[in-house]
Amino acid sequence: MSLFSMISKASVVALMASGLSFAGIADGASKFLGNTTTSGEIPDDFGTYWNQITAENECTWVIVEKTRGEYDWTGCNLVYNWAKENHATFSFHTLLWGSHYPVWLNSLDVDETKKAITDWFDAVQEHYPDLEMIEVVNEAVKSGDNYHSGFGRGNNFIEALGGNSGNYEFVTTAFKMARERWPKAILIYNDYNTIQWQKEQAIDLLKKIKAQGAPVDAFGMQFHETTTQGSGHYCLSASTLKRALHDAHEQTGLPIYITQYDVGDKDDEFQKKCYMEHIPLLMETEYVAGITLWGYVYGKTWISCNGTDFGCSGLIKDGVERSALTWLKEYFKDPGARRYGHGLATGATKSLGNVIVDGQTIPEDYDTYWNEITTDNACTWGAVEKERGKYDFSKCDAVYNWAVINRFESRVSFKFRNLLKGTHLPHWLNGLDVNETKEAVTAWFDEVAAHYPNIYQIEVVDGAVRNSTGHYHSGFEGNNLIEALGGDDGDYKFVATAFNMARKRWPYATLIYNDYDESRWENDPTVDLILKLQEQNAAIDAFGLQASNWMVQGSGPEIKCIAGSKIRDGIQKIYDKIKIPLFITEYYISTDSDSLQKACFAEHIPAFMESEYVAGVSLWSYIYGETPWMTPTNAGLIKNGENRPAMDWLEDYFKDHWLDAKSLWYTSDIPLNPVDTLGQGPDEPIAIGNKIRLEQNTQQSYDVFDVQGVRLGKLSAYGFSDAAKMLRASKATKASGIYFLRNHTTGKMQSVGIVR
């Protein structure tokens, strides 16, 4: 099963709560917020707060089968039936738990133990054949000579299920047994100390059982380490939590369920503070599929506050809501808390972006619609270096810097458009010979790389296909650029050279070739170009397929939209040949006919968004009258401050899909061609605005971010160079890649390349 499939599967259960018959706090959110039973009971108000339920102990083996062969499902049935009746998610906790098994098991030999375990699994399957989520094994990490929950102490659990040679074979066996009985359930491995103290051991267990073919679908991370040790009056830092979640997901490839969250403290405001720091982070981390709080009635939860009060993690005390619960209710009233981000397509794995016309002010509501941004021509060579050797990135910076800021807040990504386009080259290039042209191209690539070292999507070459008359689509004529980059003997070698030059400068960026053709869906000439680039091992990652006004056919009353079925068939044929993903670029329907524009959007957008081969869609229209280079400028979706019908349709489409937006996957991995190691040359600063101040030679504080904008923590150092050395040596940065340092005082950011 692919990672995308596993997360999708997890999300289906996480989103089932959207159809609740009661008004749970997180009703309608993109993941559930659940809780557990209270002393074996379900309080009457449970459904007014929670849309997922876990039995604290009522479904464990020790409770159900106290006498061998005699099953008492009373307590477990109470929870299971409540979930069914109230359309809530039910999580079975748990099939195997080293500290919760019948005492009679201790008297059995290996063979009888295996039979007893098999009988138990069969009994649960017979009684609950349609379980959605199952914690198959609980707390099996081996720490020193002991397992977390006592597997193997006085019983033959381990030997009965295949032993443990250091690879947790017995856990693998349990998961395989569970999959045989519940082929469609989400099978979870669950453990504690997974956020801070022993996360590496839990990750190691999961990697080992996956290597043996264990059908584990998700990682259940108990989260009782919500406060620091000692006084307990410091909430676990968001950076530590982010890093733990990131490491767990990246290293196991699994979605995560937070299975047991609680903050045990008698101080109402402190408890609220921790909830405020942790819950939004958990809700907004896309690979966290659901959250289960562990108890909510004060005095009836398992935590005691250093022996001074029992059950102090409860959220309702003496019938009155504590501050944390009041805050929690307010938090979920905000629609932004109900999804992974803000853009229309946020939650899908592909982007839905738009363009900013050169010099246009970025609308305040941009990130409420789009989660990707690009420029019209502001970043092209001809716009930036009008005079040789003098670079003006100000208009490109305006968009890039906005995206950097909003990547942390709204997850808007920036696409660089474009490095080489025949119609957007500097005029002075025409007077240079071949060698000077090569020097100029190299200098241009170097300057962009120095200014923007961390862009993730780059349209490297645009419009290099030759048409039937032999001319290049975007006019790569009138200068020596082609010869300077290796020529073109029908093999487009100059394009291959450009891509390889880009790869050296941006090892981890997605490098895109972009082009147009009015008959693309039937016979795409760009496919031939891409195949020739691939024959030369060019570092091309994706095909940017322009989709503009040729998306309609005919004229006058006979005009109509190209059928979505034709587009789907064309995408399939293109992908079958080139085997790299497609980005739909520059999609617009330029017309004053609202009905035609809406009809085309309804025909085309689903074909793009629901294709597994399309990795992103960029619209080329937003504000009516401010559409790039078009006459008339009537492709815009918002006119005089009001939505045109196509925009209304677009909003409705994603409202219908955002709960299952994870089904809008691009399911084929984007094939990158990174160099073996990152260059260890001087790290270049990212320009944030035009006021970069020099640092004093004093101790500075720096925030550390990964490429996803996740803050990993804070460090102190004497200047960027010292901070970069510390970061490279830190165990917190375990993966190769690009990281960022941001000076607390100046706001200046710098990238650091790390190779592990």
Side-chain angles (χ1 to χ4, degrees):
M1 183 181 295
S2 69
L3 170 59
F4 287 161
S5 297
M6 286 189 288
I7 295 182
S8 296
K9 183 178 178 182
S11 299
V12 168
V13 171
L15 300 174
M16 285 182 65
S18 64
L20 302 180
S21 59
F22 49 82
I25 290 175
D27 185 17
S30 56
K31 57 189 73 172
F32 62 66
L33 181 70
N35 219 305
T36 186
T37 51
T38 301
S39 301
E41 299 178 348
I42 303 174
D44 291 340
D45 62 0
F46 191 98
T48 65
Y49 297 109
W50 324 115
N51 55 20
Q52 180 268 343
I53 190 166
T54 299
E56 186 173 18
N57 293 310
E58 292 81 12
C59 297
T60 58
W61 194 0
V62 65
I63 297 297
V64 175
E65 195 182 2
K66 293 177 181 177
T67 301
R68 190 175 185 184
E70 296 180 7
Y71 301 97
D72 181 1
W73 303 103
T74 305
C76 195
N77 280 344
L78 174 70
V79 185
Y80 174 85
N81 291 334
W82 185 94
K84 287 291 185 183
E85 292 165 4
N86 291 278
H87 307 289
T89 301
F90 172 72
S91 179
F92 187 91
H93 170 78
T94 175
L95 282 173
L96 290 183
W97 187 359
S99 58
H100 283 63
Y101 64 91
V103 293
W104 51 261
L105 201 72
N106 291 341
S107 63
L108 304 185
D109 62 20
V110 172
D111 290 340
E112 279 296 305
T113 300
K114 176 64 181 292
K115 185 178 185 305
I117 294 171
T118 302
D119 290 344
W120 163 240
F121 275 52
D122 287 342
V124 178
Q125 193 280 332
E126 182 179 356
H127 200 75
Y128 304 118
D130 59 347
L131 291 177
E132 303 157 353
M133 297 172 58
I134 307 171
E135 293 176 15
V136 178
V137 178
N138 196 44
E139 302 171 358
V141 163
K142 190 172 185 181
S143 181
D145 293 330
N146 298 311
Y147 297 88
H148 271 181
S149 66
F151 282 103
R153 286 204 300 262
N155 58 62
N156 288 301
F157 259 127
I158 296 171
E159 293 78 6
L161 295 180
N164 181 13
S165 67
N167 293 312
Y168 296 101
E169 289 88 347
F170 75 101
V171 178
T172 299
T173 301
F175 273 91
K176 290 180 177 179
M177 290 172 63
R179 176 62 76 225
E180 289 174 0
R181 291 159 176 80
W182 295 277
K184 296 182 180 180
I186 295 172
L187 304 183
I188 304 168
Y189 174 77
N190 192 53
D191 216 323
Y192 64 85
N193 276 359
T194 52
I195 304 295
Q196 278 188 282
W197 316 118
Q198 292 173 311
K199 69 175 184 179
E200 289 85 1
Q201 290 94 322
I203 289 170
D204 178 65
L205 180 151
L206 283 160
K207 290 165 72 173
K208 285 177 176 176
I209 67 172
K210 285 187 68 180
Q212 298 168 67
V216 56
D217 296 322
F219 182 7
M221 300 176 75
Q222 298 179 27
F223 190 5
H224 299 298
E225 314 106 283
T226 50
T227 61
T228 59
Q229 300 298 300
S231 69
H233 274 264
Y234 293 96
C235 304
L236 181 77
S237 70
S239 61
T240 300
L241 176 56
K242 285 180 180 179
R243 172 49 56 188
L245 297 173
H246 176 270
D247 286 350
H249 173 63
E250 288 295 313
Q251 294 185 46
T252 67
L254 296 172
I256 292 165
Y257 287 97
I258 299 299
T259 55
Q260 299 181 22
Y261 179 90
D262 48 31
V263 179
D265 199 279
K266 294 191 294 183
D267 185 333
D268 288 357
E269 292 307 308
F270 174 72
Q271 184 188 54
K272 172 185 172 182
K273 182 176 185 292
C274 295
Y275 268 77
M276 290 175 67
E277 291 187 18
H278 300 153
I279 296 299
L281 192 157
L282 296 173
M283 286 299 299
E284 294 163 20
T285 298
E286 62 179 335
Y287 43 80
V288 173
I291 304 166
T292 303
L293 309 184
W294 207 243
Y296 72 104
V297 179
Y298 197 99
K300 295 186 178 182
T301 68
W302 73 289
I303 287 182
S304 63
C305 293
N306 299 320
T308 62
D309 206 355
F310 185 75
C312 57
S313 63
L315 296 169
I316 297 178
K317 185 176 183 181
D318 299 327
V320 178
E321 294 179 359
R322 297 178 71 189
S323 299
L325 182 53
T326 301
W327 171 83
L328 203 60
K329 291 166 67 176
E330 290 300 313
Y331 170 75
F332 279 98
K333 287 180 181 178
D334 178 5
R338 299 173 177 272
R339 31 195 314 189
Y340 297 131
H342 302 289
L344 288 176
T346 302
T349 61
K350 57 189 71 175
S351 58
L352 179 70
N354 220 309
V355 64
I356 292 299
V357 182
D358 300 341
Q360 176 190 4
T361 300
I362 300 172
E364 292 182 359
D365 61 357
Y366 187 95
D367 62 335
T368 66
Y369 296 107
W370 324 113
N371 55 20
E372 179 211 72
I373 192 168
T374 190
T375 60
D376 183 12
N377 298 311
C379 300
T380 60
W381 191 3
V384 173
E385 194 182 2
K386 293 179 180 178
E387 184 178 342
R388 189 174 184 185
K390 295 183 179 180
Y391 300 92
D392 180 5
F393 285 99
S394 59
K395 290 183 179 179
C396 191
D397 279 347
V399 180
Y400 173 78
N401 293 339
W402 182 90
V404 168
I405 293 170
N406 283 277
R407 183 169 184 82
F408 293 100
E409 298 297 329
S410 303
R411 299 179 186 167
V412 179
S413 61
F414 173 79
K415 180 170 67 177
F416 186 91
R417 180 183 185 268
N418 40 42
L419 284 172
L420 294 179
K421 184 175 183 179
T423 54
H424 289 70
L425 301 173
H427 294 300
W428 52 261
L429 199 70
N430 296 344
L432 304 185
D433 63 22
V434 173
N435 290 331
E436 287 179 315
T437 301
K438 179 64 180 291
E439 291 175 3
V441 174
T442 302
W444 164 241
F445 275 54
D446 288 342
E447 193 68 25
V448 178
H451 202 75
Y452 305 120
N454 303 300
I455 44 181
Y456 311 119
Q457 287 188 24
I458 307 171
E459 292 180 6
V460 179
V461 179
D462 190 312
V465 167
R466 286 186 292 183
N467 61 26
S468 58
T469 64
H471 295 290
Y472 297 94
H473 275 177
S474 68
F476 282 100
E477 290 107 355
N479 55 59
N480 288 304
L481 186 142
I482 294 173
E483 292 75 11
L485 297 184
D488 180 10
D489 293 326
D491 57 0
Y492 297 102
K493 185 176 181 180
F494 76 101
V495 181
T497 300
F499 272 91
N500 292 334
M501 289 173 64
R503 174 64 75 224
K504 289 179 181 178
R505 291 159 177 81
W506 296 278
Y508 297 102
T510 299
L511 304 183
I512 304 168
Y513 176 79
N514 194 52
D515 216 325
Y516 70 89
D517 190 81
E518 62 276 3
S519 61
R520 182 174 309 283
W521 304 115
E522 295 179 359
N523 181 23
D524 181 8
T526 308
V527 167
D528 180 60
L529 178 148
I530 292 174
L531 291 174
K532 289 178 178 177
L533 296 184
Q534 291 174 332
E535 289 172 2
Q536 300 170 70
N537 295 315
I540 180 173
D541 298 323
F543 173 18
L545 192 155
Q546 294 181 26
S548 51
N549 235 23
W550 48 265
M551 299 294 289
V552 298
Q553 295 176 320
S555 60
E558 302 300 321
I559 194 168
K560 62 180 181 180
C561 310
I562 289 179
S565 59
K566 184 175 183 179
I567 293 173
R568 292 183 181 91
D569 183 60
I571 289 173
Q572 181 73 57
K573 289 178 179 178
I574 291 170
Y575 182 83
D576 286 344
K577 293 177 182 177
I578 62 178
K579 300 298 183 183
I580 58 174
L582 280 65
F583 285 89
I584 303 300
T585 62
E586 303 181 32
Y587 174 80
Y588 64 87
I589 301 296
S590 184
T591 177
D592 278 316
S593 170
D594 288 346
S595 60
L596 176 65
Q597 187 184 56
K598 176 185 175 182
C600 290
F601 267 68
E603 192 75 26
H604 302 154
I605 294 298
F608 299 149
M609 291 301 297
E610 296 168 25
S611 169
E612 62 179 323
Y613 308 116
V614 172
V617 179
S618 295
L619 307 185
W620 216 244
S621 56
Y622 180 23
I623 307 298
Y624 188 95
E626 296 183 357
T627 308
W629 54 261
M630 297 174 198
T631 303
T633 55
N634 57 1
L637 296 169
I638 296 180
K639 184 177 181 180
N640 299 325
E642 299 292 332
N643 284 359
R644 294 180 71 185
M647 178 60 107
D648 286 332
W649 176 88
L650 201 63
E651 290 182 345
D652 289 341
Y653 173 77
F654 283 101
K655 283 178 183 176
D656 289 341
H657 284 77
W658 77 262
L659 280 175
D660 62 346
K662 292 300 180 182
S663 68
L664 304 183
W665 286 115
Y666 161 63
T667 59
S668 302
D669 291 338
I670 296 177
L672 298 178
N673 302 287
V675 294
D676 292 335
T677 59
L678 286 171
Q680 295 300 310
D683 298 309
E684 298 292 343
I686 301 173
I688 302 296
N690 298 317
K691 298 181 180 179
I692 300 298
R693 292 176 285 175
L694 296 176
E695 298 174 74
Q696 302 297 317
N697 189 26
T698 58
Q699 192 174 58
Q700 307 280 323
S701 293
Y702 298 87
D703 288 316
V704 183
F705 299 90
D706 67 13
V707 294
Q708 301 300 324
V710 176
R711 183 178 178 276
L712 307 183
K714 183 173 71 174
L715 56 82
S716 297
Y718 288 91
F720 269 126
S721 179
D722 187 31
K725 290 178 182 177
M726 294 175 64
L727 186 60
R728 288 190 175 106
S730 172
K731 292 182 180 179
T733 52
K734 295 182 178 180
S736 296
I738 301 295
Y739 295 82
F740 301 94
L741 294 167
R742 182 171 66 188
N743 186 288
H744 260 210
T745 303
T746 67
K748 180 180 175 183
M749 294 186 73
Q750 180 167 325
S751 64
V752 180
I754 294 179
V755 179
R756 294 296 186 215

